[in-house]
Amino acid sequence: VISIWTEDLIDTLKGLLAKGFSSSGIAAEIGTTRNAVCGKIHRLGLNGGDGSRTFVRRTPEEKEATKRAKMERRNERRRSQRVTVVRVRQVNLEALRCVEVIPQHKSLLELDADGCRFPYGDGPFTFCNHAQHEGSSYCGPHMALSRRRMS
Ligand SMILES: [Zn+2]
């Protein structure tokens, strides 16, 4: 048997393999059979390139297990995120009860149409932005505060 594999051809084979060609693709490129290419890849110890022979095939059970593990991790992440959100909200509510109102510190542009316009800081101002008390541009606590100030 005369080997078709010249140095040049082996280089070409390696090049095509590196580009991700399959053995049948390489066979078509260099004009030989897929079996010849597979055998050469094997003899050269160049694994990869041919999915059907050189890649480890995973059984459906293994794939299923991987998928389950992935879902489990995702659920785990979601659960921990949810817990964090709930905790933050509780803390805020408690703080609100203590000091009456916590300003949201919104800029004039971010301010809601019905947000409390009680200013904080000494320019650029930030605003409270809690829901306005009826007939006022301030929320309840800030309306009371501004009235106390005026009198
Ligand atoms: Zn306010």
Side-chain angles (χ1 to χ4, degrees), residues 76-137:
E76 196 65 48
R77 222 166 25 233
R78 267 192 210 143
R79 267 199 293 277
S80 60
Q81 276 171 351
R82 208 174 299 145
V83 167
T84 313
V85 168
V86 169
R87 258 187 216 140
V88 166
R89 206 171 287 153
Q90 277 168 350
V91 167
N92 278 349
L93 283 176
E94 271 160 39
L96 264 175
R97 274 199 285 275
C98 292
V99 300
E100 273 189 314
V101 65
I102 297 176
Q104 289 176 12
H105 288 303
K106 297 285 183 182
S107 74
L108 197 55
L109 290 174
E110 295 167 323
L111 201 55
D112 291 338
D114 60 347
C116 169
R117 271 143 176 76
F118 192 90
Y120 282 85
D122 35 37
F125 293 109
T126 58
F127 298 87
C128 164
N129 199 40
H130 280 286
Q132 284 174 1
H133 193 273
E134 224 182 299
S136 171
S137 34

